[in-house]
């Protein structure tokens, strides 16, 4: 019997194996201890979580791998042929290509040791890519849905978000900021570190909480996810990064399109949006209550919190929810799902085209008109996005100098430091930064470090996984809970970068989405 279309979580296979249990225990560890783990405030945050992830995943691979091998041996003795990993999906094949091309890139690199360990950058070397791949195949073959996994994720992530909010208002209950200078205190928070990393974390947490609220039938989990929306949105705003706003602009309409498949899901989504936007006003009241002593919000975050116009979406979404609740009081009415989805897709596409048009106009055509605070978003130059414009420009200049082989395979995983090194003097003179180890854009960074083929493999993994999960969601909407965070992560990655603090969780969500798809395609209960 396959999962029903109501998003019920507690279905299990006829035999819940040791491998299934170990897999879920691993998820609990990664969803709870991993985001909290630090050995010395922020001094070693990245390496702390890197080694935590590598060791935890190695234990998972060895233990579950042994269980799978023993199970296969017993099946063969019983005369049953049960392949460990076959059949392979398109996403599986892209994932193997992703790893294989990274191996080639590492071997061809002039900085082999740094490419292997990622020590020249954000630890995203071959070792980490190997762990992502091994974890992917273990999770996709052994994951079985259990409610307690989601409870741990929502509760611990809410705690991380709450700490982000408190730290933003200089409230430091854990002493995380003690001993640091003003610049570090301004940019760091919670148990994650830099505000861009916090933003990436919230871009996973928020869509997961919202979509869980939309599709889950368990009342307890729906209450927990509804409360989590409050923490996720306020945490996202207090991350105070451009990347979280970009993620929010993409994922809200995408989740609307997902939810529009069902009258009941769309109704819950409107309630989720009401909670979300009301949380922004709750943050405003909290700020006023403690005297607005905070690190200072960027333009868009300040607008979303303080502007009176933000009462409008609360009222509109709230009234929309009440109207749908009234119409559905005697059962679900006739609902033109396809027409509503199509309308939302058209509106979203028009919105993207409009924003791109404004961006192109104010960046390359009308470069003189004063557009106020929107200049930070709509006028591209070397200073755009905390000088991301400069980093992107010089990255493409350096890529153009690569020989054909290097264009295909890059300089080696996470070795952008050595590619961008010729521009460090200019970077220091113009922006005050002595060096950088990334292009501040995940896709450009993959292009530089793993070449055209490496970037293509990565995009292949993501695009095929999203397409497969959306198809699976027609039968099991829980797939949307897992793939929505991946989409949001990919959106914010346009101005952010992979790291061993948040990216492992993104690959976990991607793997869980593929586990559901695999179960559906094989006709196995999950």
């Amino acid at each position: 019997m396959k999962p029903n279309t109501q998003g019920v979580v507690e279905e299990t296979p006829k035999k819940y194996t040791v491998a299934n249990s170990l897999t879920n225990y691993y998820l609990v560890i990664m969803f709870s201890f991993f985001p909290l783990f630090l050995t010395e405030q922020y001094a070693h945050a990245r390496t702390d979580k890197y080694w935590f992830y590598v060791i935890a995943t190695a234990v998972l691979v060895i233990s579950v791998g042994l269980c799978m091998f023993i199970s296969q041996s017993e099946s063969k003795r019983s005369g049953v042929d049960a392949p460990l990993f076959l059949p392979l999906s398109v996403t599986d094949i892209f994932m193997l290509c992703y790893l294989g091309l990274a191996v080639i890139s590492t071997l061809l690199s002039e900085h082999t040791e740094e490419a292997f360990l990622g020590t020249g950058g954000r630890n995203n070397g071959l070792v980490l890519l190997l762990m992502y791949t091994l974890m992917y195949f273990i999770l996709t073959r052994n994951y079985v849905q259990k409610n307690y996994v989601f409870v741990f994720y929502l509760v611990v992530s809410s705690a991380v978000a709450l700490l982000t909010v408190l730290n933003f208002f200089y409230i430091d209950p854990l002493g995380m900021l003690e001993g640091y200078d003003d610049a570090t205190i301004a940019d760091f928070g919670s148990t994650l570190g830099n505000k861009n990393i916090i933003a990436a974390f919230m871009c996973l947490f928020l869509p997961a909480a919202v979509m869980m609220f939309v599709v889950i039938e368990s009342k307890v989990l729906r209450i927990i996810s509804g409360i989590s929306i409050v923490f996720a949105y306020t945490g996202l705003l207090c991350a105070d990064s451009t990347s979280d706003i970009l993620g929010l602009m993409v994922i809200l309409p995408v989740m609307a399109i997902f939810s529009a498949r069902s009258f009941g899901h769309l109704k819950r989504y409107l309630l989720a949006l009401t909670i979300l936007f009301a949380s922004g006003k709750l943050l405003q009241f909290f700020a006023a209550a403690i005297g607005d002593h905070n690190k200072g919000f960027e333009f868009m975050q300040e607008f979303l919190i303080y502007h009176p116009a933000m009462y409008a979406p609360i009222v509109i979404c709230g009234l929309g929810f009440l109207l749908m609740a009234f119409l559905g009081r005697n059962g679900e009415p006739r609902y033109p799902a396809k027409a509503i989805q199509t309308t939302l897709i058209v509106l979203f596409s028009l919105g993207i085209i409009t924003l791109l048009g404004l961006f192109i106009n104010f960046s390359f055509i009308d470069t003189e008109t004063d557009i106020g605070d929107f200049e930070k978003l709509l006028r591209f130059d070397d200073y755009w996005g905390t000088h991301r414009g400069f980093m992107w420009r010089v990255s493409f200049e350096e890529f153009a100098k690569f020989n054909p082989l290097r264009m295909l395979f890059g300089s080696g995983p996470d070795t952008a430091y050595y590619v961008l090194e010729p521009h460090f003097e200019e970077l220091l003179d113009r922006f005050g930064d002595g060096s950088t180890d990334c292009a501040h854009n995940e896709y450009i960074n993959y292009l530089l470090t793993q070449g055209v083929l490496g970037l293509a493999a990565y995009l292949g993994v993501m695009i095929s996984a999203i397409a497969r999960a959306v198809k699976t969601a027609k039968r099991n909407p829980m797939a949307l809970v897992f793939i929505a965070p991946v989409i949001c992560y990919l959106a914010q990655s346009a101005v952010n970068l992979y790291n061993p603090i948040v990216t492992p969780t993104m690959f976990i969500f991607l793997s869980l989405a593929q586990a559901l798809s695999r179960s559906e395609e094989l006709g196995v209960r999950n």
Side-chain angles (χ1 to χ4, degrees):
M1 179 179 178
K2 297 182 182 180
N4 62 36
T5 58
Q6 302 302 313
V8 176
V9 176
E10 281 297 343
E11 291 186 334
T12 59
K14 292 179 180 179
K15 184 180 180 182
Y16 188 65
T17 67
V18 174
N20 300 142
S21 296
L22 292 173
T23 298
N24 278 321
Y25 296 155
Y26 169 81
L27 292 174
V28 168
I29 289 170
M30 288 301 299
F31 285 157
S32 56
F33 294 105
F34 177 66
L36 300 176
F37 179 72
L38 288 173
T39 59
E40 188 182 344
Q41 294 171 283
Y42 304 115
H44 312 290
R46 193 175 74 232
T47 51
D48 283 348
K49 295 187 190 295
Y50 168 77
W51 284 112
F52 187 107
Y53 173 71
V54 169
I55 293 170
T57 304
V59 171
L60 169 79
V61 171
I62 294 170
S63 58
V64 175
L66 284 173
C67 290
M68 294 174 71
F69 178 77
I70 293 169
S71 176
Q72 186 193 41
S73 299
E74 291 176 349
S75 297
K76 285 186 175 180
R77 283 196 295 270
S78 302
V80 178
D81 186 16
L84 278 177
F85 293 105
L86 297 176
L88 294 178
S89 69
V90 173
T91 308
D92 294 345
I93 294 170
F94 272 119
M95 200 72 193
L96 291 172
C97 291
Y98 173 66
L99 177 61
L101 290 165
V103 171
I104 296 173
S105 178
T106 301
L107 294 175
L108 294 176
S109 177
E110 296 175 0
H111 309 279
T112 305
E113 182 178 345
E114 290 85 349
F116 183 74
L117 297 173
T119 50
R122 308 295 175 94
N123 298 102
N124 205 65
L126 181 60
V127 170
L128 199 60
L129 304 187
L130 172 64
M131 290 299 162
Y132 290 155
T133 305
L134 293 174
M135 179 190 71
Y136 168 86
F137 280 100
I138 292 294
L139 294 185
T140 53
R141 270 65 182 173
N142 293 281
Y143 171 66
V144 171
Q145 293 178 164
K146 287 290 185 179
N147 276 347
Y148 68 83
V149 173
F150 302 117
V151 172
F152 273 102
Y153 177 71
L154 293 172
V155 171
V156 174
S157 296
S158 293
V160 171
L162 175 60
L163 191 57
T164 297
V165 174
L166 294 177
N167 285 173
F168 189 82
F169 287 92
Y170 297 107
I171 301 171
D172 188 19
L174 300 184
M176 297 296 299
L177 304 176
E178 291 178 4
Y180 286 102
D181 57 35
D182 292 342
T184 301
I185 291 173
D187 279 345
F188 283 65
S190 193
T191 56
L192 301 173
N194 180 275
K195 64 181 184 179
N196 293 322
I197 293 174
I198 299 173
F201 180 90
M202 298 305 162
C203 281
L204 294 175
F205 179 31
L206 179 63
V210 170
M211 291 312 302
M212 204 170 295
F213 182 82
V214 170
V215 307
I216 286 288
E217 290 303 318
S218 165
K219 290 183 179 179
V220 173
L221 260 183
R222 205 184 312 154
I223 291 170
I224 296 173
S225 57
I227 296 170
S228 296
I229 292 171
V230 177
F231 290 108
Y233 187 62
T234 54
L236 181 143
L237 293 174
C238 290
D240 201 41
S241 171
T242 303
S243 61
D244 56 19
I245 297 300
L246 182 57
L248 191 68
M249 290 171 62
V250 170
I251 201 58
L252 289 184
V254 167
M255 290 192 296
I257 293 168
F258 286 162
S259 302
R261 282 180 170 173
S262 159
F263 179 88
H265 288 172
L266 184 58
K267 180 180 70 174
R268 288 184 197 166
Y269 182 63
L270 288 173
L271 179 56
L273 286 185
T274 305
I275 296 170
L276 184 148
F277 289 117
S279 301
K281 288 302 172 185
L282 180 64
L283 188 60
Q284 178 183 356
F285 299 146
F286 174 76
I290 63 171
D292 259 336
H293 179 56
N294 59 62
K295 299 178 184 180
F297 289 103
E298 292 288 339
F299 161 63
M300 284 302 299
Q301 285 84 350
E302 184 173 357
F303 179 88
L304 291 171
I305 297 169
Y306 292 99
H307 202 284
M310 291 310 299
Y311 284 105
I314 301 173
V315 173
I316 293 170
C317 294
L319 289 176
F321 165 74
L322 292 174
L323 176 61
M324 293 189 74
F326 175 78
L327 293 174
R329 67 192 186 283
N330 296 320
E332 187 171 310
R334 293 185 63 183
Y335 174 67
K338 190 170 183 180
I340 292 177
Q341 265 199 312
T342 302
T343 301
L344 290 173
I345 291 171
V346 170
L347 291 174
F348 183 40
S349 301
L350 289 175
I352 292 175
I353 292 170
T354 300
L355 284 174
L356 285 175
L358 290 171
F359 184 78
I360 292 170
N361 177 66
F362 290 121
S363 297
F364 306 107
I365 301 173
D366 181 4
T367 59
E368 301 298 328
T369 299
D370 183 10
I371 53 176
D373 288 324
F374 285 101
E375 186 167 349
K376 298 177 182 179
L377 300 175
L378 298 177
R379 181 159 285 151
F380 185 82
D381 55 22
D382 279 1
Y383 294 88
W384 184 88
T386 320
H387 59 268
R388 280 171 171 77
F390 172 80
M391 299 309 307
W392 296 0
R393 176 177 62 79
V394 299
S395 293
F396 283 115
E397 289 176 1
E398 291 302 317
F399 180 77
K401 297 176 185 177
F402 285 1
N403 60 47
L405 189 63
R406 204 176 192 192
M407 283 185 173
L408 289 177
F409 297 103
S411 61
D414 215 3
T415 56
Y417 175 94
Y418 302 101
V419 177
L420 300 172
E421 194 171 11
H423 300 275
F424 287 176
E425 186 175 342
E426 183 182 2
L427 186 64
L428 179 62
D429 291 342
R430 295 182 60 184
F431 306 105
D433 290 341
S435 65
T436 183
D437 56 13
C438 67
H440 296 284
N441 176 300
E442 189 162 301
Y443 310 105
I444 296 175
N445 226 67
Y446 269 116
L447 182 67
L448 291 179
T449 60
Q450 291 176 242
V452 173
L453 295 179
L455 174 60
Y458 178 71
L459 293 176
V461 170
M462 299 301 154
I463 294 170
S464 64
I466 292 169
R468 194 180 183 208
V470 170
K471 182 179 178 181
T472 299
K474 295 178 181 179
R475 302 181 300 275
N476 187 349
M478 272 302 298
L480 300 177
V481 173
F482 301 138
I483 210 62
V486 175
I487 295 171
C488 194
Y489 175 93
L490 294 176
Q492 65 86 40
S493 290
V495 292
N496 216 338
L497 194 71
Y498 45 63
N499 59 80
I501 301 175
V502 177
T503 307
T505 306
M506 184 276 290
F507 272 104
I508 287 175
F509 278 123
L510 182 141
S511 301
L512 299 186
Q514 295 310 291
L516 293 189
S517 297
R518 179 178 174 83
S519 296
E520 286 286 336
E521 291 164 7
L522 295 177
V524 178
R525 289 177 63 195
N526 196 343

